[in-house]
Amino acid sequence: MAGLAGVPGREWMIRDAKGRKYSYDLEEEAIEALPEYGAGAAVWTRAVCRVLFFTRSVDGWQQVTKPRD
């Protein structure tokens, strides 16, 4: 059982050129799906801390400038 300090993790999303957002569980899934969203789409990530039913962002969304190989 996790303590009340929370469980750290990461969230991933793709934001397309029209500003629509699509959530992904894993970095690999987001990177693989990126070409489907066309020009101007980008992968974003953020560090989060989950406590009970709440998710808090540590530093906000950051664009992934170069996917890892």
Side-chain angles (χ1 to χ4, degrees):
M1 180 174 173
L4 289 179
V7 178
R10 295 204 72 77
E11 291 184 340
W12 299 89
M13 78 162 172
I14 291 177
R15 183 179 293 158
D16 69 11
K18 294 181 180 179
R20 291 178 293 214
K21 301 173 186 176
Y22 305 89
S23 296
Y24 289 87
D25 293 326
L26 301 171
E27 176 186 18
E28 292 79 16
E29 290 176 341
I31 299 297
E32 185 176 304
L34 184 61
E36 298 173 22
Y37 294 97
V43 175
W44 294 71
T45 188
R46 69 179 178 173
V48 295
C49 184
R50 292 180 176 86
V51 179
L52 298 176
F53 300 105
F54 299 97
T55 300
R56 299 280 183 219
S57 177
V58 177
D59 293 323
W61 289 104
Q62 303 293 318
Q63 187 172 356
V64 177
T65 56
K66 182 178 180 185
R68 293 187 303 188
D69 293 330

